[in-house]
Amino acid sequence: MDNNASGNLTSAASPGSVDELIITSTFGTLLSLMYVTGVSGNVYILVLMCHSIRFAVSMHISIINLAIADLLYLSTIPFIVCTYFLKDWYFGDIGCRILFSLDLLTMHASIFTLTVMCTERYMAVTKPLDTVKRSKSYRKAMAGAVWFISLLLTLPMMIMVNLEETRRGTGIKRMCAPTWGPEAYKVYLTVLFSTSIMAPGIIIGSLYIKLGRTYLESQRNTLTKKGNNKRSPKQKVLIMIFTIVLVFWACFLPFWIWQLVRLYHRPLKLASHTQTCINYLVTCLTYSNSCINPFLYTLLTKNYREYLKNRHRSFYRYTSSFKRGTPSLQSSWGKSVSSSNQFDYLSESLVMGQLKVQR
């Protein structure tokens, strides 16, 4: 089995030496620290976001999905660490299916959610009226679709992985392994790489290229104002989302490269301990993503609230001036704020006001 836990379970099942014990202890301790840090951070994010879930702001729903995915992914660490030290698998056939399925399920749920977030931000910039018209049910349906598609991609692993028992000396060693042939397994992992890295990367990359062009055009058509050199809250939100995406790729791409290299270039002329260390390193790197994310989610939420706050002030300033009957503002109302932006300002400013009351 060549997913997160698989390569490590294979190496963990082999007889150990003093060097291997030191390596296993080091990475086991590191993973345990990641577990405590990641779970604490993501639970904090969930409590913070669920406090305002009834407003169904799309950003908050997406962050809740990401935090749940991170928590489910981190929940596999105790099983991995236990297997590292015991050099055997004690969680049965069902444990194999659940553990390896959670790896793939949460990985896809995370990147699909990030892709949806990028798409929604792109639509909010280019077609704000269409974005505002989307209901709470639509946002929940999108979140459900993300998990459903992720589950469909995971089902083959859930069905085909199996617990194998082999007799070694006087004992029996248990290991989780796929039951399909090498070629079928190679095709499946290649598909998973395409759906979790390549396809989302192309979509997100193209969206941000289009957003970059949109901002460049808007800056060319707008007169330079005082303090215009600072990034706007809207830009900060977009940058933070892209940062989360980049961190995801930085943490998961080495893992996938290592898996694909072993699939397409066998045998590797590397010592057993070297392969074990690489297995552990790429595993720790993927889990580190779930530890870093809560800090990024906090910054994203802060920037998003700043963005909503600024929009609330802009809307209030325009409406107050309009109600006072200022002729210049009345005549330029359609030019200053389009009808789509009026709806956008109103909906997001109301949400911001409710959030501020809660605090």
Side-chain angles (χ1 to χ4, degrees):
M1 177 69 194
D2 279 318
N3 74 36
N4 265 9
S6 62
N8 304 315
L9 295 181
T10 303
S11 61
S14 59
S17 62
V18 175
D19 290 341
E20 186 176 350
L21 179 61
I22 293 173
I23 294 171
T24 301
S25 300
T26 301
F27 283 101
T29 303
L30 184 58
L31 283 175
S32 300
L33 291 174
M34 288 182 178
Y35 176 78
V36 174
T37 305
V39 168
S40 301
N42 282 287
V43 167
Y44 166 77
I45 290 296
L46 274 181
V47 172
L48 191 65
M49 292 295 101
C50 288
H51 189 57
S52 55
I53 185 58
R54 65 176 179 270
F55 303 124
V57 181
S58 59
M59 184 69 69
H60 290 173
I61 293 176
S62 296
I63 293 176
I64 287 172
N65 275 328
L66 290 171
I68 291 174
D70 285 336
L71 281 173
L72 287 174
Y73 189 51
L74 289 166
S75 68
T76 63
I77 286 182
F79 301 96
I80 301 300
V81 173
C82 181
T83 304
Y84 281 171
F85 286 104
L86 296 179
K87 308 295 183 185
D88 205 350
W89 180 258
Y90 288 95
F91 308 105
D93 182 70
I94 295 177
C96 284
R97 299 177 192 274
I98 293 176
L99 179 70
F100 292 170
S101 299
L102 275 179
D103 280 357
L104 300 177
L105 175 68
T106 55
M107 177 178 59
H108 281 91
S110 294
I111 192 59
F112 290 164
T113 300
L114 289 171
T115 305
V116 170
M117 288 173 71
C118 293
T119 305
E120 287 185 343
R121 288 300 91 198
Y122 173 77
M123 296 298 293
V125 171
T126 57
K127 298 179 180 179
L129 182 57
D130 293 341
T131 304
V132 172
K133 287 180 179 178
R134 290 170 185 166
S135 63
K136 181 190 296 185
S137 300
Y138 171 83
R139 287 164 178 157
K140 290 183 177 180
M142 283 297 297
V146 163
W147 285 97
F148 179 71
I149 295 172
S150 301
L151 181 61
L152 286 181
L153 290 168
T154 304
L155 278 178
M157 181 64 71
M158 188 181 297
I159 295 171
M160 300 303 291
V161 74
N162 195 16
L163 180 66
E164 291 185 352
E165 295 183 352
T166 56
R167 184 171 296 279
R168 292 187 178 180
T170 57
I172 296 177
K173 292 293 181 180
R174 291 166 286 267
M175 184 179 67
C176 301
T179 56
W180 43 28
E183 288 303 317
Y185 188 61
K186 182 187 294 187
V187 170
Y188 179 57
L189 279 194
T190 304
V191 169
L192 292 181
F193 172 73
S194 300
T195 54
S196 65
I197 299 294
M198 285 186 63
I202 293 171
I203 294 171
I204 293 171
S206 62
L207 287 175
Y208 270 85
I209 289 173
K210 291 179 180 179
L211 281 172
R213 290 175 180 173
T214 301
Y215 276 119
L216 286 176
E217 290 175 2
S218 65
Q219 287 178 356
R220 289 170 186 170
N221 298 329
T222 303
L223 293 175
T224 305
K225 297 179 181 180
K226 186 178 179 180
N228 199 35
N229 57 335
K230 294 182 179 179
R231 287 193 177 96
S232 68
K234 182 187 290 187
Q235 287 175 310
K236 290 180 181 178
V237 171
L238 292 169
I239 291 171
M240 280 307 306
I241 294 174
F242 194 59
T243 301
I244 295 173
V245 174
L246 288 179
V247 170
F248 177 90
W249 285 331
C251 292
F252 279 91
L253 193 55
F255 157 74
W256 275 111
I257 291 173
W258 173 239
Q259 304 306 323
L260 294 176
V261 164
R262 291 196 295 173
L263 276 177
Y264 286 94
H265 297 279
R266 291 189 176 185
L268 291 178
K269 297 179 180 180
L270 294 174
S272 175
H273 282 177
T274 303
Q275 294 197 43
T276 299
C277 285
I278 296 175
N279 279 331
Y280 289 169
L281 281 172
V282 296
T283 299
C284 287
L285 194 56
T286 57
Y287 282 117
S288 68
N289 180 66
S290 298
C291 299
I292 298 169
N293 279 343
F295 299 100
L296 299 177
Y297 300 156
T298 302
L299 291 174
L300 175 59
T301 306
K302 181 181 177 181
N303 288 332
Y304 191 62
R305 289 190 178 187
E306 182 187 352
Y307 160 59
L308 294 181
K309 188 176 180 180
N310 280 23
R311 302 205 71 164
H312 168 62
R313 287 174 177 173
S314 299
F315 181 77
Y316 181 77
R317 183 173 63 253
Y318 281 119
T319 53
S320 298
S321 301
F322 185 79
K323 288 177 181 178
R324 286 198 299 270
T326 305
S328 61
L329 278 176
Q330 288 182 13
S331 62
S332 63
W333 176 256
K335 297 179 181 178
S336 301
V337 185
S338 66
S339 60
S340 62
N341 281 336
Q342 292 178 39
F343 282 101
D344 201 17
Y345 281 137
L346 179 59
S347 63
E348 291 191 330
S349 63
L350 287 175
V351 171
M352 186 60 204
Q354 290 168 323
L355 287 175
K356 288 171 68 179
V357 169
Q358 284 191 340
R359 293 178 70 187

